[in-house]
Amino acid sequence: MKRDILSEEYYDEVCRVVGDAVIVLAEAGYDTRREALADLLKKTRNERHDADRDEQKVLEHAIRLVKPSQGPV
């Protein structure tokens, strides 16, 4: 995902969410690779039924940002 797709405000918030997810996983002794991050963010998105539209948008962008690539690197 390119930074110019998101506004500066959303980009900063997406980065904060991803960073928070890494910290939570690392402190709990879990894997912090992309797959684990994407799974945690998806679980959070699915459990946050009360989240407003902006929160959902940030989570969706965070998931796309960390989603593992589908091909060879």
Side-chain angles (χ1 to χ4, degrees), residues 15-38:
C15 290
R16 187 193 63 76
V17 167
V18 171
D20 287 350
V22 169
I23 291 169
V24 166
L25 288 171
E27 285 180 344
Y30 290 102
D31 181 12
T32 58
R33 288 181 289 175
R34 288 177 175 264
E35 297 88 2
L37 287 170

Side-chain angles (χ1 to χ4, degrees), residues 3 6 9 19-20 23 25 27 39 41-42 46-47 57-58 63-65 67 70-73:
R3 181 178 180 164
L6 294 174
E9 177 185 350
D20 287 350
I23 291 169
L25 288 171
E27 285 180 344
D39 288 344
L41 293 167
K42 287 176 188 175
N46 294 339
E47 291 177 354
K57 184 176 178 180
V58 167
I63 291 165
R64 282 195 296 258
L65 181 68
K67 183 173 54 174
Q70 298 299 323
V73 184

Side-chain angles (χ1 to χ4, degrees), residues 40-56:
L40 176 64
L41 293 167
K42 287 176 188 175
K43 182 178 178 184
T44 301
R45 178 197 60 200
N46 294 339
E47 291 177 354
R48 295 294 316 256
H49 300 291
D50 62 337
D52 63 24
R53 183 180 168 114
D54 284 341
E55 250 183 278
Q56 287 293 329

